[in-house]
């Protein structure tokens, strides 16, 4: 006779039963009621004791919490046929539709007021739990409604799913339906952990929960902190439940979690109030809901209402405006805005989000694309909050067949000018003066008071000139005639003459005004004056390097690069030259002023001698030094301020040392004299 059949083992069995009973209660208090009555340590201690006793005796009660872990992984899930199909719900989006639903129900039932129930619509995945004589024998996903997958081993790991129910009102068979979900906090913690482990992240709690339920290894599922809420039944044999309200009572009694703030509503008005209240508080809920489910309370009335193929006539799902939608990226194109910024835009398979159809979405910038690895063919989640422009927030999967890397364009898609990456930023900008989407804004700026000061060419006139097609590029301004203008609705003879005269007058301008008018990034009036002080004419700026510019005192690096990029573009130079042929003359009073004093320049009063091979062309360095007011000499003397020594320097280095003249490398020179 095995030892555990003796007296002592009877006592142990009784002890196991008590432990199971108590641990299940603690579990319920902890996970469902959120009110634990013992500490985690005490729970763990008792749980370890239970496992020890169970392994000593081989006696494991069917509702033992130890059964929640440890089932071996599966190869695949078995099919699970639902004895009663798991239907879906009709979605409705307005309160009028809720009233229309009530109207239909009352007409069919021929009653004045119907009792409804209202529950949150949990955003998770539906499952059905089968209890035979109190014991959980199967858990299945909804699948297509008729056939799902047998996920019993996984569902057993969810601590709030009772494994065994007891009592007088436990039926021979009951199928309980509910939603598996994950709280926002558990989801965040999971993703954080996955990020640390270098694993791919989940888009939202629903995807994470669905993924966990469909894990072949139950040990994995056990780690995912899933929850359940129970809201319906399939087949029942052996007891009679007559309403949703009664079902809720029964479920609670048997420790099933039930929908948060379940409400029995007397008439549709109370259900509508509930919808509003839930909507107001839903952001603060610890889990995601996507609406409220309104159901006829009494089961006998449900039967009279019946079902359609897909959904019952006795229930409706009021859906809150979805802020997210799933779709596919058809292609990614560069798109240029009025300020010249070139942004990548995803062209999407149209999808309804929050009441509008979305078919394009900005991808923000080019770094973002690389960071998110968005490509053509990807399945993505887009989000639209309020009336904000839709954004791709998540890539769910790549289409391997269409695995095309998105390439940042080198030139503007509209005008072919160079696309410049702004330093330190992920912003790509077109620097083309005549770039069509930017032109209107550029011309308004060009004509403004501090620039060419074309009196009468304000915003409205600029728009009119554009829309009429009279001005298609910068040069067209200087080609305008009185005859052109009088044809426009805004112009009378007098105002046309005035504008032509103002344009004529603007043709003799200063370099500072002209540079400012070009609207180069970071180049306001101050910078424009600064440049005019250092360069005698506009041509002196053609092809200027950022290095040269940065020698100017008070000139920042960003500004230097932006100006250099602008004047490196041949199209821009061509446009300026065309303006000159149309009569534009640029004087430069600012240049003389500064040159007279000279002292304003960074290297004024300093003499340099260059020796050896430098990282830049010697001629360029000399030009820089002279540009900044310095002197370049070919021989070292006591008057020499600095010797800039490159690789394999000649005898000049020795002479400098002998005379005690400071010697610097090119890098040191840069560090000393450019901010
Ligand atoms: S009742 C025929 N109640 O919504 C009645 N469903 O769109 C069917 N859901 O498949 C279900 N919370 O996955 C019901 N309180 C709730 C629910 C709920 C979420 C899900 C469920 C169902 C889907 C229908």
């Amino acid at each position: 006779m095995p030892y555990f059949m003796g007296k002592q083992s009877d006592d142990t069995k009784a002890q196991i039963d008590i432990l199971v009973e108590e641990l299940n209660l603690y579990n319920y208090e902890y996970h469902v009621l959120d009110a634990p009555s013992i500490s985690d340590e005490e729970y763990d201690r008792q749980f370890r004791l239970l496992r020890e006793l169970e392994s000593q005796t081989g006696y494991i009660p069917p509702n033992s919490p130890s059964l929640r872990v440890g089932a071996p992984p599966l190869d695949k899930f078995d099919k699970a046929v639902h004895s009663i199909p798991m239907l879906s719900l009709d979605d409705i989006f307005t309160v009028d539709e809720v009233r229309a639903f009530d109207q239909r129900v009352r007409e069919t039932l021929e009653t004045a007021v119907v009792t409804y129930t209202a529950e949150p619509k949990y955003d998770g995945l539906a499952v059905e739990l089968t209890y035979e004589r109190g014991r959980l024998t199967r858990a299945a996903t909804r699948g297509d409604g008729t056939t799902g997958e047998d996920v019993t081993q996984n569902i057993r790991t969810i601590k709030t799913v009772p494994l065994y129910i007891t009592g007088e009102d436990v039926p021979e068979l009951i199928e309980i339906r509910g939603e598996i979900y994950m709280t926002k906090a558990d989801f965040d913690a999971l993703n954080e952990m996955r990020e640390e482990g270098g694993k791919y992240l989940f888009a939202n709690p629903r995807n994470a929960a669905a993924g966990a339920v469909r894990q072949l290894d139950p040990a994995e599922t056990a780690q995912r902190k899933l929850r359940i809420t129970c809201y319906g039944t399939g087949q029942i044999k052996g007891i009679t439940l007559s309403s949703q309200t009664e079902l809720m009572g029964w479920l609670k009694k048997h420790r099933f979690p039930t929908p948060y703030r379940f409400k029995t509503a007397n008439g549709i008005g109370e259900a509508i109030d509930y919808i509003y209240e839930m909507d107001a508080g839903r952001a603060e809920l610890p889990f995601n809901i996507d609406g409220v489910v309104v159901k006829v309370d009494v089961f006998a009335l449900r039967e009279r209402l019946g079902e359609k193929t897909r959904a019952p006539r006795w229930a409706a799902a009021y859906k809150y405006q979805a802020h997210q939608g799933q779709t596919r990226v058809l292609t990614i194109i560069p798109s240029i805005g009025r300020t010249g910024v070139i942004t990548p835009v995803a062209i999407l398979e149209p999808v309804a989000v929050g009441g509008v159809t979305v078919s394009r979405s900005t991808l923000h910038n080019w770094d973002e694309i690389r960071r998110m690895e968005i490509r053509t063919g990807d399945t993505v989640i887009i989000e639209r909050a309020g009336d904000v422009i839709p954004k791709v927030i998540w890539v769910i999967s790549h289409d391997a067949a269409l695995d095309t890397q998105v390439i940042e364009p080198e030139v503007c898609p509209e005008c072919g000018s160079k696309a410049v990456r702004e330093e330190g930023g992920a912003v790509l900008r077109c620097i083309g003066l005549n770039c069509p989407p930017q032109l209107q804004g550029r011309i308004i700026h060009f004509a403004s008071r501090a620039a060419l000061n074309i009196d009468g060419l304000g915003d409205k006139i600029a728009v009119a000139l554009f829309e009429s097609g009279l001005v298609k590029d910068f040069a067209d301004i200087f080609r305008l005639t009185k005859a052109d203008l009088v044809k426009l609705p805004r112009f009378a003879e007098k105002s046309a003459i005035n504008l032509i005269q103002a344009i004529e007058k603007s043709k003799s301008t200063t370099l500072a005004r002209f540079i400012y008018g070009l609207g180069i990034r970071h180049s306001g009036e101050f910078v424009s004056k600064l440049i005019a002080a250092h360069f005698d004419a506009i041509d002196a700026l053609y092809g200027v390097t950022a290095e040269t510019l940065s020698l100017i005192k008070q000139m920042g690096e960003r500004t230097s690069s932006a100006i250099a990029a602008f004047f490196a573009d041949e199209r821009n130079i061509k446009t300026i030259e065309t303006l000159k042929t149309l009569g534009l003359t640029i004087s430069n009073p600012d240049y003389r002023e500064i040159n007279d004093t000279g002292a304003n320049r960074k290297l004024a009063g300093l003499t340099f001698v260059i020796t050896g091979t430098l990282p830049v062309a010697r001629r360029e360095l000399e030009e820089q030094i002279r540009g900044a007011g310095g002197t370049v000499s070919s021989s070292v003397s006591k008057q020499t301020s600095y010797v800039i020594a490159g690789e394999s320097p000649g005898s000049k280095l020795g002479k400098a040392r002998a005379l005690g003249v400071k010697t610097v490398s090119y890098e040191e020179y840069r560090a000393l004299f450019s901010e």
Side-chain angles (χ1 to χ4, degrees):
M1 187 205 278
Y3 77 96
F4 59 80
M5 298 297 280
K7 165 91 180 64
Q8 191 220 335
S9 73
D10 275 352
D11 287 350
T12 315
K13 278 170 80 174
Q15 195 188 350
I16 289 174
D17 285 337
I18 291 168
L19 273 172
V20 165
E21 207 51 47
E22 286 179 354
L23 286 166
N24 278 339
L25 176 65
Y26 299 146
N27 250 328
Y28 176 67
E29 287 173 344
Y30 184 90
H31 292 287
V32 183
L33 303 181
D34 211 5
S37 64
I38 59 164
S39 70
D40 292 1
E41 291 73 28
E42 182 57 21
Y43 180 90
D44 290 344
R45 201 189 61 75
Q46 292 197 24
F47 187 69
R48 275 197 304 275
L49 176 62
L50 170 68
R51 295 202 73 163
E52 213 174 287
L53 297 178
E54 282 179 347
S55 77
Q56 267 174 28
T57 58
Y59 169 64
I60 303 174
N63 57 338
S64 170
S66 68
L67 288 174
R68 292 189 190 277
V69 283
L74 301 170
D75 293 333
K76 65 174 185 45
F77 297 113
D78 286 338
K79 284 202 171 2
V81 177
H82 301 295
S83 52
I84 299 175
M86 289 179 80
L87 295 184
S88 183
L89 292 168
D90 279 339
D91 288 343
I92 52 182
F93 296 93
T94 63
V95 169
D96 281 350
E97 286 173 299
V98 179
R99 291 194 191 282
F101 160 73
D102 172 55
Q103 176 91 21
R104 280 195 304 275
V105 168
R106 284 188 294 111
E107 271 170 20
T108 313
L109 299 178
E110 296 170 321
T111 35
V113 181
V114 175
T115 304
Y116 293 102
T117 60
E119 309 154 15
K121 187 169 190 301
Y122 284 72
D123 195 11
L125 72 151
V127 290
E128 180 177 74
L129 313 173
T130 306
Y131 290 86
E132 292 174 86
R133 284 178 294 281
R135 188 168 174 168
L136 175 67
T137 51
R138 189 184 83 166
T141 60
R142 175 171 178 271
D144 62 7
T146 313
T147 311
E149 285 175 321
D150 185 328
V151 288
T152 314
Q153 300 292 31
N154 290 346
I155 299 301
R156 293 182 81 91
T157 69
I158 301 174
K159 299 215 170 57
T160 53
V161 172
L163 298 176
Y164 203 76
I165 46 179
T166 51
E168 271 169 26
D169 57 354
V170 169
E172 191 188 329
L173 172 80
I174 186 164
E175 291 170 347
I176 292 163
R177 293 174 178 181
E179 199 84 352
I180 304 285
Y181 67 98
M182 196 181 272
T183 65
K184 296 174 194 170
D186 287 341
F187 166 73
D188 288 343
L190 171 70
N191 257 358
E192 218 165 276
M193 218 170 68
R194 291 182 68 88
E195 189 160 26
E196 273 167 28
K199 297 190 183 148
Y200 73 89
L201 306 183
F202 292 107
N204 51 43
R206 177 164 35 82
N207 287 10
V213 168
R214 301 196 66 259
Q215 280 289 333
L216 289 168
D217 182 0
E220 275 289 316
T221 313
Q223 286 176 12
R224 293 273 180 93
K225 301 231 169 107
L226 298 175
R227 291 169 201 247
I228 191 169
T229 188
C230 300
Y231 49 64
T233 58
Q235 253 196 111
I236 308 178
K237 281 187 202 155
I239 52 163
T240 309
L241 295 167
S242 58
S243 69
Q244 183 78 355
T245 307
E246 196 185 332
L247 169 66
M248 287 300 132
W250 185 92
L251 288 169
K252 278 193 182 148
K253 179 174 164 205
H254 291 287
R255 295 183 186 166
F256 287 91
T258 50
Y260 167 77
R261 291 194 51 195
F262 170 85
K263 175 173 169 128
T264 308
N266 191 16
I268 202 68
E270 285 187 23
I272 293 172
D273 288 347
Y274 180 93
I275 288 172
Y276 285 134
E277 283 161 29
M278 268 297 157
D279 193 17
R282 75 178 162 126
E284 276 74 50
L285 290 180
F287 47 86
N288 284 338
I289 67 171
D290 55 357
V292 163
V293 185
V294 178
K295 303 172 185 172
V296 170
D297 189 29
V298 176
F299 293 166
L301 298 181
R302 289 186 183 180
E303 246 161 68
R304 279 176 53 199
L305 287 157
E307 275 141 19
K308 293 171 285 175
T309 30
R310 211 186 66 92
R313 289 202 184 83
W314 47 262
Y318 176 92
K319 294 282 282 277
Y320 295 126
Q321 288 277 309
H323 298 312
Q324 290 191 350
Q326 187 172 318
T327 186
R328 234 169 61 96
V329 176
L330 299 177
T331 181
I332 294 172
I333 56 163
S335 158
I336 173 158
R338 288 161 62 99
T339 58
V341 176
I342 304 167
T343 37
V345 169
I347 305 299
L348 306 166
E349 218 159 69
V351 59
V353 185
V356 297
T357 303
V358 174
S359 55
R360 309 163 56 96
S361 157
T362 170
L363 297 175
H364 201 52
N365 63 46
W366 302 89
D367 278 353
E368 188 86 346
I369 292 197
R370 274 183 286 268
R371 192 180 63 75
M372 292 177 82
E373 293 181 36
I374 302 174
R375 295 169 202 176
T376 298
D378 287 357
T379 302
V380 293
I381 288 186
I382 58 165
E383 187 174 80
R384 202 180 141 266
D387 15 87
V388 181
I389 315 155
K391 269 197 326 190
V392 170
I393 57 152
W394 206 270
V395 176
I396 293 192
S397 62
H398 289 300
D399 182 335
L402 280 167
D403 207 8
T404 42
Q405 202 86 41
V406 179
I407 301 181
E408 187 179 308
E410 282 177 11
V411 294
C412 168
E414 290 278 346
C415 76
S417 285
K418 209 167 148 26
V420 176
R421 203 166 224 275
E422 284 180 0
E423 229 177 305
V427 173
L428 199 65
R429 196 183 291 269
C430 163
I431 49 153
L433 255 186
N434 274 328
C435 180
Q438 300 180 64
L439 199 58
Q440 193 169 304
R442 281 191 180 274
I443 286 188
I444 290 170
H445 177 76
F446 188 68
S448 69
R449 194 156 303 234
L452 282 242
N453 192 18
I454 307 178
D455 214 8
L457 212 173
D459 298 12
K460 288 198 183 112
I461 301 294
V463 173
L465 292 174
F466 269 97
E467 286 177 354
S468 64
L470 277 177
V471 171
K472 290 190 285 294
D473 62 28
F474 260 70
D476 283 344
I477 305 175
F478 297 119
R479 293 193 186 109
L480 286 171
T481 64
K482 192 190 90 185
D484 288 334
L485 294 180
V486 288
K487 280 187 225 142
L488 298 180
R490 292 189 162 272
F491 285 94
E493 178 88 7
K494 180 88 178 79
S495 51
I497 293 174
N498 286 347
L499 181 56
I500 296 296
Q501 276 176 354
I503 292 171
E504 208 46 49
K505 203 172 127 205
S506 78
K507 281 185 183 171
S508 42
T509 189
T510 66
L511 185 59
R513 279 178 177 275
F514 184 71
I515 292 172
Y516 174 68
L518 294 176
I520 304 168
R521 287 287 289 167
H522 312 300
S523 311
E525 286 180 72
F526 173 76
V527 167
S528 305
K529 272 210 180 262
L530 202 59
I531 293 171
H534 289 81
F535 294 84
D536 57 348
I538 188 76
D539 336 16
L541 285 158
Y542 296 171
V544 68
T545 64
E547 295 227 311
T548 303
L549 287 165
S550 67
L551 286 175
I552 300 173
K553 219 174 188 169
Q554 291 175 294
M555 188 78 133
E557 264 190 37
R558 282 186 322 169
T559 317
S560 303
S561 329
I563 296 168
F566 182 91
F567 288 105
D569 192 82
E570 272 174 35
R571 287 159 207 263
N572 287 344
I573 291 171
K574 221 171 122 196
T575 304
I576 296 170
E577 288 297 308
T578 309
L579 296 180
K580 284 194 199 166
T581 63
L582 289 168
L584 184 82
T585 53
I586 309 167
S587 63
N588 190 3
D590 303 285
Y591 184 67
R592 267 182 285 107
E593 259 170 51
I594 294 277
N595 250 12
D596 288 345
T597 60
N600 273 359
R601 292 197 281 168
K602 210 185 281 187
L603 303 183
L606 299 178
T607 304
F608 293 83
V609 171
I610 304 168
T611 178
T613 315
L614 299 156
V616 288
R618 183 177 293 212
R619 234 168 20 104
E620 200 180 306
L621 179 57
E622 287 177 5
E623 196 187 302
Q624 278 176 23
I625 293 171
R626 292 198 183 101
T631 310
V632 182
S633 163
S634 55
S635 61
V636 183
S637 73
K638 276 194 172 162
Q639 272 66 52
T640 308
S641 317
Y642 290 94
V643 170
I644 304 172
E647 267 179 57
S648 18
S651 60
K652 288 171 191 165
L653 186 61
K655 190 164 178 200
R657 290 201 175 129
L659 290 173
V661 172
K662 277 178 238 160
T663 308
V664 292
S665 68
Y666 174 71
E667 288 71 28
E668 285 166 333
Y669 156 78
R670 293 275 303 144
L672 280 171
F673 297 107
S674 56
E675 288 135 323

